[in-house]
Amino acid sequence: MSSQSQRPKGIISKIKLENFMCHNHFELTLGKNVNFVVGNNGSGKSALLVAVSVCLGGQARSTNRARSLGGLVQNGKNTALVAVTIRNEGSEAYEPEKFGREITVERKITSEGGSSYVIKGENGKRVSNKKEVIVEILDRFNLQVHNVCSVLNQDDSRNYIVNSTPNKKYQFFLMGTQLEEMKKNFARIDEHCKIMENTLARKSQAIPDMKKKKDDLKAEYKEVQAVESQRGALQQYKKKMAWSYVLEKEMEIQSMKEHL
């Protein structure tokens, strides 16, 4: 493999929090391999996982930490900011001509529960503010913040692993492998295919009538062309007749001159 294809891509390299949960201002730079975050209970370790999930489009309710985004804003503060920087190198980089070697996604959250996105490039300048771009970036790097195998919080680990039943373990397996999601996608695709097949059959039935109409219009067009051709010939004959009248008068004048 080339060094270009081996370069890290889609790896989170930095997390920044402001007024988010228990953190006033916190920045963490991560290595490109495995990272361990250690600390006492209540020191804010889980807040980092929540921040990554929320910043990359996750819902507050799915984190089991708040019912709405506003509940993640530090008490007494009006807004919070979470920012996640992702490496954007290699052959599978996302629009490197726009973003460069790093993409930073920032999400500003208000205490009322509102939020907005800013997506910046390596130079720190804003490139976009559309969530659709974030979805495209996540798809490009296969970052699945809604997949419990990618982001597993404490509550889900107890629910699906520690105190789970075989049925819950199977549900965990379906979510982790995304088989259930693929099943739904295939069902939607199958439905779209059926709609397209019905549309094709309906359009195919109309083809003979449309072909006949085309032939009729083609014949009518030829008739119009013939009329136009005759009209052009008529104009030429009118011009010739006018000049023949002039020629006749000139001959009469010439004859009169000869008899004088």
Side-chain angles (χ1 to χ4, degrees):
M1 297 177 64
S2 66
S3 59
Q4 174 78 2
S5 61
Q6 291 177 331
R7 289 179 181 176
K9 45 189 174 293
I11 296 176
I12 297 175
S13 60
K14 187 176 181 180
I15 303 171
K16 178 181 177 182
L17 312 177
E18 293 180 3
N19 302 330
F20 186 81
M21 297 181 69
C22 63
H23 295 286
N24 293 321
H25 183 87
F26 180 81
E27 290 189 18
L28 176 64
T29 300
L30 301 170
K32 64 180 180 179
N33 297 313
V34 179
N35 293 269
F36 294 92
V37 179
V38 297
N40 297 327
N41 290 337
S43 60
K45 302 185 300 296
S46 297
L48 297 176
L49 198 61
V50 174
V52 171
S53 178
V54 169
C55 185
L56 298 181
Q59 298 179 348
R61 188 179 296 273
S62 64
T63 66
N64 297 323
R65 295 291 173 169
R67 294 183 178 181
S68 67
L69 289 173
L72 300 174
V73 179
Q74 198 174 68
N75 291 333
K77 304 294 183 180
N78 294 323
T79 61
L81 178 72
V82 288
V84 173
T85 300
I86 304 171
R87 295 180 185 270
N88 188 44
E89 299 178 276
S91 58
E92 298 180 11
Y94 179 81
E95 297 187 3
E97 67 281 357
K98 289 183 180 180
F99 291 94
R101 295 175 297 178
E102 287 185 343
I103 298 174
T104 298
V105 179
E106 292 184 355
R107 190 173 188 181
K108 186 177 182 180
I109 305 169
T110 66
S111 56
E112 290 80 14
S115 69
S116 59
Y117 291 98
V118 174
I119 310 167
K120 298 180 179 180
E122 181 184 10
N123 57 9
K125 295 183 179 180
R126 187 179 75 171
V127 178
S128 177
N129 60 356
K130 296 180 179 179
K131 188 176 180 180
E132 292 80 3
V133 175
I134 299 175
V135 173
E136 291 178 0
I137 293 171
L138 298 182
D139 287 342
R140 174 63 62 86
F141 298 136
N142 197 27
L143 296 175
Q144 305 169 12
V145 295
H146 300 291
N147 191 330
V148 290
C149 285
S150 298
V151 180
L152 181 64
N153 57 49
Q154 294 176 355
D155 294 332
D156 285 338
S157 66
R158 287 192 295 267
N159 186 32
Y160 290 108
I161 299 177
V162 181
N163 301 320
S164 67
T165 63
N167 182 59
K168 285 187 176 180
K169 284 186 171 68
Y170 181 67
Q171 294 299 322
F172 180 82
F173 168 75
L174 291 180
M175 285 189 293
T177 57
Q178 292 190 310
L179 288 176
E180 187 66 25
E181 186 66 24
M182 285 190 286
K183 182 180 178 181
K184 293 178 181 178
N185 290 337
F186 281 130
R188 284 194 294 267
I189 293 171
D190 184 60
E191 183 65 24
H192 285 307
C193 288
K194 289 179 180 178
I195 293 174
M196 294 172 65
E197 287 174 355
N198 293 333
T199 302
L200 179 61
R202 190 173 62 254
K203 297 292 186 182
S204 297
Q205 292 176 355
I207 289 177
D209 292 337
M210 296 177 66
K211 185 176 180 181
K212 183 178 182 302
K213 186 176 181 180
K214 183 203 72 171
D215 294 337
D216 293 342
L217 290 173
K218 188 175 181 179
E220 185 178 344
Y221 176 70
K222 288 183 177 180
E223 291 178 359
V224 171
Q225 280 187 317
V227 171
E228 289 296 327
S229 178
Q230 292 175 1
R231 185 174 298 170
L234 178 61
Q235 292 295 328
Q236 292 295 325
Y237 288 136
K238 285 182 178 180
K239 292 178 180 179
K240 290 180 179 180
M241 185 176 67
W243 281 109
S244 65
Y245 179 75
V246 172
L247 181 59
E248 181 182 355
K249 291 300 181 182
E250 288 180 345
M251 293 176 64
E252 289 179 0
I253 293 172
Q254 184 64 30
S255 178
M256 291 174 64
K257 287 181 178 181
E258 292 177 353
H259 287 84
L260 290 177

